[in-house]
Amino acid sequence: MKRLLSTLSCFALLAALPATASEIWVTNEHDDTISVIDIETLEVVRTIETGERPRGITFSKDYSVVYVCASDSDTVQVIDPETGEILHDLPSGEDPEQFVLHPDNRHLYIANEDDAITTVVDTVERKVIAQIDVGIEPEGMAVSPDGKIAITTSETTNMAHWIDTETHQLFANTLVDARPRHAEFAKEGSELWVSSEIGGTVTVFAVADQTPLAKISFEIKGVHQDNIQPVGFEFSADGKTAFVALGPSNHVAAVNTETYEVEDYILVGRRVWHMAFSPDHSMLFTTNGVSGDVTVIDVASRTPVKTIKVGRFPWGAAVRP
Amino acid sequence: MPLKTLVFWLGLVGACAGGPAASETAITITYVKQEVERPPVLSNLDAIPEDEGWRGAEIGLQDNATTSKFLGQTWSLQERIVPVGGDLLAAGRESAAQTRFLIIDAPREGLLALADLAELEDALLFNVAAEEPDLRDEACRANVLHTATSLTMRSDALMQFLALRRWSDLAMITGPHASDMAFAEALRGSARKFGLKIKGEKEWRFDANMRRAASAEVPLFTQELPDHEVLLAADEIGDFARYLPYNTWDPVLLAGSEGLRPLGWSHVMEQWGAVQLQNRFEDHAGRNMRPKDYAAWAAVRALGEAVTRTASDDPNVLRAYMLSEEFELAAFKGRPLSFRSWNGQLRQPIPVVHPGAVVAVAPLEGFLHPTSELDTLGLDAPQSRCTAFSE
């Protein structure tokens, strides 16, 4: 609670300082660039070149560097957010797709899509400290808030793999519906949410015993069930709502995290993929892979307010306050 | 917007968490291949790989094995090749003594003979090669599931695309082989189904060396056809159609066995994570993934998915699960694949491709169906005369 308060006061501080414009960083998978969107003007203000096929993107906890999975360059690039300069590459294993930064701000857990491996990298020593065998085509990555559990989901094996971050051993493997894409811990680490793209569902697990608590399905009038494909999702600041990107259905669902019921569907661009909130969580930015743009959603009213053209195949999104 | 929400509480199946199917299950699959003599073709530019199909099964097995190591299951795959003129039924009987799960890479007659063996009556056979529509219709067998596309699924996919583009005036050139004529028949049926007109047809009957003579012969040969926008080539053995493009009298588009092709799989598929499968395959086989490779991969993966979800190795349990609405296979085609419960055909999108890119993936927008748009491709339940699946 204390941390939440300090976070909130931090937001309040930022709100009072409009001069330091916040940004949304979007990786463009087929352009080998990052589009930087200014949250004040809602326009692309910078385009930064990266390695080949940039996908996962995340900032260090202090926002001093940004990490980018350059999948086809087989590396994680470390970029100075001020200058856009590539500072150095990290060893990442082959074809890094998605990753998550441990709460210790030092260890990256990376899904190596082509190798069925999760790689743990020490960003300070710049070396691989562990490689863990997981299922085919690992993608979704999450770390529990206490840092004790890392999750990898594997798209073809259809599992969430539970990794003990102390021992780097798997301690559980839980089946989910077909083609899991994304994982997040919720409710202070007591729940794990996993989206299944082809299964069309989100499975919620109790972290304590890895049992499934609920399975969320979606239904949009006029859209064939097969085209409702959950991929990325994020939780609102109060944790009460999950926003779930539904791929080629071109909608984002707003899900009540207490009842697991869908409350709204929000129309966005084509093949919506991942998303990031503005620092105050009042705006949500979705990457739309096929239409090559970003939809800005007003979170309070749950309506799309603007479309911003970015590069080809926007994939990941991250906020820089 | 009316909000309808489906929430499934999973308390009842909570027991499966943390590693379902902890039992020790060992599954062996036998890949039975009947070698066939191929008629000679004019050009040897695109040889058909000897290991077509088998390599797909191998990749599928690797996928299954990776999954099953978390579940205490083991998988193995063995190959049994029957040379031309060899005893296919003996191979079938020997395989039956070792496994209940077979992949059959054989022509129609061989597949049916194996399916009717008493020793394989309660086995599960996956057809990865034979595309004849009657195998999904009156000649269906209860112990055969088809992961290969049917000719009519492919011809329907092409005609949906031509209909969508409103290219409705067609002509067709057909080769003399049984496979050419069967594909031509499928194209005729699909043209009727989607309201397109094949205004004229000619049979290919040249014995000249087309590598030298195409530019002289083909313009005159095609000049006699009625006006058309798209020229269909039914040349499934890959003999003459490669000499049609740019040699036609009129500047028309080519489709069918050449130019724009409806295929179960193509190496130009990139979307929906297909690149990952293509990369795995190319690393493993050192060549592009072909439709039969995909069919074999899908057969192994379908079985893998059924074993994972049911924790069973009983062919009856697995067959029932695969034919149920519960079953879904993520297979890099953008939507879940499932089996048609009335004839055992794997429902699947069909890419319509040219050599450099995917042009469209059928079913296409606007072709509607009361239950699954995928059933706008190929034989649908109301037309099916297959009775083996209704018990």
Side-chain angles (χ1 to χ4, degrees):
Chain A
M1 196 60 202
K2 203 171 181 181
R3 199 170 86 194
L4 182 64
L5 282 173
S6 70
T7 311
L8 285 173
S9 61
C10 179
F11 287 149
L13 193 67
L14 280 166
L17 294 168
T20 55
S22 308
E23 295 167 339
I24 298 289
W25 287 45
V26 173
T27 52
N28 300 306
E29 183 180 351
H30 287 186
D31 266 355
D32 302 345
T33 58
I34 291 167
S35 298
V36 180
I37 296 167
D38 183 311
I39 289 181
E40 295 293 319
T41 63
L42 298 183
E43 279 171 8
V44 174
V45 290
R46 271 194 291 171
T47 301
I48 295 165
E49 290 191 11
T50 65
E52 289 175 45
R53 207 173 173 207
R55 293 195 278 182
I57 179 167
T58 193
F59 283 87
S60 61
K61 306 293 177 193
D62 58 1
Y63 297 93
S64 62
V65 295
V66 58
Y67 301 102
V68 176
C69 289
S71 300
D72 284 359
S73 301
D74 296 329
T75 188
V76 166
Q77 295 185 312
V78 185
I79 297 173
D80 179 343
E82 284 298 327
T83 63
E85 190 188 336
I86 295 169
L87 300 172
H88 56 267
D89 290 350
L90 289 173
S92 66
E94 266 187 65
D95 194 26
E97 174 165 10
Q98 180 65 292
F99 52 16
V100 63
L101 184 61
H102 191 275
D104 67 10
N105 196 31
R106 176 163 180 171
H107 294 104
L108 275 177
Y109 285 73
I110 305 169
N112 297 116
E113 186 168 37
D114 278 358
D115 275 1
I117 282 172
T118 296
T119 296
V120 188
V121 173
D122 181 333
T123 59
V124 177
E125 299 286 329
R126 299 182 197 175
K127 66 178 189 191
V128 172
I129 59 167
Q131 289 203 308
I132 302 148
D133 280 339
V134 292
I136 303 272
E137 290 165 26
E139 170 152 348
M141 297 294 309
V143 176
S144 59
D146 63 8
K148 289 181 177 165
I149 304 169
I151 299 289
T152 300
T153 67
S154 48
E155 288 171 21
T156 292
T157 299
N158 302 325
M159 283 181 182
H161 305 283
W162 303 65
I163 300 165
D164 180 330
T165 56
E166 285 288 314
T167 62
H168 297 131
Q169 301 288 320
L170 299 178
F171 66 91
N173 300 284
T174 46
L175 277 173
V176 292
D177 284 340
R179 208 169 161 77
R181 294 299 298 267
H182 191 76
E184 293 276 349
F185 284 87
K187 298 181 190 169
E188 291 164 345
S190 65
E191 288 184 2
L192 177 75
W193 289 43
V194 178
S195 63
S196 294
E197 184 181 29
I198 292 290
T201 56
V202 171
T203 303
V204 180
F205 290 96
V207 169
D209 55 5
Q210 302 98 45
T211 53
L213 290 171
K215 196 188 278 191
I216 302 160
S217 294
F218 306 89
E219 199 168 290
I220 304 170
K221 201 179 178 188
V223 177
H224 194 279
Q225 210 57 34
D226 286 355
N227 284 328
I228 301 177
Q229 302 182 350
V231 190
F233 54 89
E234 293 289 336
F235 295 95
S236 61
D238 60 9
K240 288 181 178 164
T241 310
F243 291 91
V244 183
L246 297 176
S249 73
N250 309 335
H251 282 79
V252 168
V255 180
N256 182 315
T257 58
E258 289 304 320
T259 62
Y260 307 114
E261 286 183 9
V262 182
E263 295 176 339
D264 270 309
Y265 292 100
I266 305 157
L267 183 66
V268 295
R270 293 174 63 199
R271 200 165 184 196
V272 57
W273 210 245
H274 284 288
M275 60 186 82
F277 282 103
S278 60
D280 63 359
H281 278 59
S282 68
M283 284 184 284
L284 182 62
F285 296 75
T286 71
T287 58
N288 310 317
V290 171
S291 48
D293 50 33
V294 165
T295 301
V296 186
I297 293 169
D298 176 65
V299 173
S301 65
R302 294 181 181 170
T303 51
V305 292
K306 193 177 179 191
T307 302
I308 303 165
K309 187 74 195 150
V310 290
R312 291 190 296 177
F313 250 78
W315 198 97
V319 63
R320 182 187 177 219
Chain B
M1 191 185 320
L3 299 177
K4 199 166 165 191
T5 306
L6 306 170
V7 181
F8 301 117
W9 294 93
L10 294 181
L12 288 176
V13 293
C16 76
S23 59
E24 286 294 325
T25 311
I27 307 272
T28 296
I29 303 174
T30 300
Y31 188 105
V32 180
K33 177 177 179 164
Q34 165 75 71
E35 289 189 328
V36 290
E37 260 181 288
R38 294 181 205 283
V41 293
L42 289 168
S43 164
N44 296 318
L45 286 175
D46 298 306
I48 295 171
E50 293 283 324
D51 55 4
E52 189 187 24
W54 167 252
R55 291 295 202 170
E58 284 186 323
I59 285 284
L61 198 90
Q62 285 178 14
D63 290 0
N64 284 3
T66 306
T67 301
S68 62
K69 75 181 176 200
F70 303 110
L71 299 171
Q73 302 159 348
T74 55
W75 288 82
S76 58
L77 176 69
Q78 53 194 26
E79 189 178 25
R80 195 171 277 274
I81 299 176
V82 180
V84 176
D87 192 345
L88 179 65
L89 292 185
R93 286 194 191 93
E94 285 162 28
S95 303
Q98 295 162 337
T99 180
R100 303 283 83 198
F101 307 105
L102 293 91
I103 291 175
I104 310 298
D105 177 358
R108 176 184 177 281
E109 292 69 27
L111 173 70
L112 287 178
L114 288 171
D116 292 340
L117 272 181
E119 292 89 338
L120 291 174
E121 196 183 349
D122 65 342
L124 261 181
L125 279 59
F126 292 89
N127 167 29
V128 299
E131 292 199 290
E132 282 83 352
D134 74 326
L135 292 170
R136 287 81 174 162
D137 201 356
E138 70 273 17
C140 72
R141 298 291 190 273
N143 55 351
V144 179
L145 299 178
H146 310 269
T147 55
T149 52
S150 70
L151 288 175
T152 46
M153 288 167 74
R154 293 206 289 119
S155 59
D156 282 350
L158 177 61
M159 292 300 165
Q160 281 193 0
F161 176 74
L162 298 183
L164 192 73
R165 301 306 309 271
R166 298 176 190 275
W167 295 334
S168 51
D169 292 341
L170 316 175
M172 180 157 69
I173 299 175
T174 305
H177 301 281
S179 58
D180 303 337
M181 290 189 272
F183 188 43
E185 190 50 41
L187 289 168
R188 285 185 204 106
S190 299
R192 274 196 302 278
K193 180 171 168 183
F194 294 108
L196 309 178
K197 215 175 274 163
I198 300 179
K199 295 166 70 182
E201 289 193 34
K202 291 189 81 169
E203 194 182 322
W204 181 265
R205 48 171 114 206
F206 283 100
D207 43 20
N209 182 348
M210 279 298 137
R211 278 175 289 193
R212 287 159 183 248
S215 61
E217 303 285 1
V218 175
L220 294 172
F221 182 70
T222 54
Q223 188 185 7
E224 297 163 15
L225 288 165
D227 281 349
H228 55 278
E229 293 162 308
V230 177
L231 180 61
L232 303 171
D235 174 30
E236 286 295 277
I237 66 160
D239 184 29
F240 64 87
R242 68 168 69 236
Y243 300 107
L244 297 178
Y246 311 105
N247 284 321
T248 52
W249 183 259
D250 291 313
V252 296
L253 300 171
L254 261 294
S257 306
E258 181 64 41
L260 187 65
R261 304 185 67 191
L263 295 171
W265 187 252
S266 162
H267 74 279
V268 299
M269 288 279 283
E270 296 179 293
Q271 268 197 78
W272 305 298
V275 169
Q276 295 154 32
L277 179 62
Q278 309 277 23
N279 288 346
R280 284 210 301 281
F281 186 87
E282 283 160 27
D283 286 349
H284 178 68
R287 60 174 176 80
N288 290 334
M289 190 172 193
R290 300 165 61 96
K292 194 192 283 183
D293 298 310
Y294 181 82
W297 174 85
V300 176
R301 281 293 302 130
L303 190 60
E305 191 63 20
V307 170
T308 300
R309 302 286 173 183
T310 62
S312 171
D313 58 359
D314 178 341
N316 291 317
V317 172
L318 296 169
R319 178 181 180 276
Y321 179 77
M322 281 191 271
L323 291 172
S324 74
E325 286 187 8
E326 299 299 303
F327 178 81
E328 58 182 13
L329 183 66
F332 307 100
K333 284 187 165 181
R335 56 173 92 193
L337 310 192
S338 53
F339 285 96
R340 290 177 180 152
S341 59
W342 64 88
N343 68 357
Q345 170 68 50
L346 186 67
R347 288 189 180 93
Q348 52 188 309
I350 308 278
V352 180
V353 305
H354 71 71
V358 174
V359 179
V361 178
L364 292 163
E365 217 172 322
F367 295 94
L368 303 177
H369 190 277
T371 50
S372 168
E373 286 158 26
L374 289 172
D375 288 342
T376 63
L377 303 174
L379 187 74
D380 199 3
Q383 286 79 44
S384 171
R385 288 167 290 180
C386 171
T387 54
F389 284 74
S390 42
E391 288 95 57

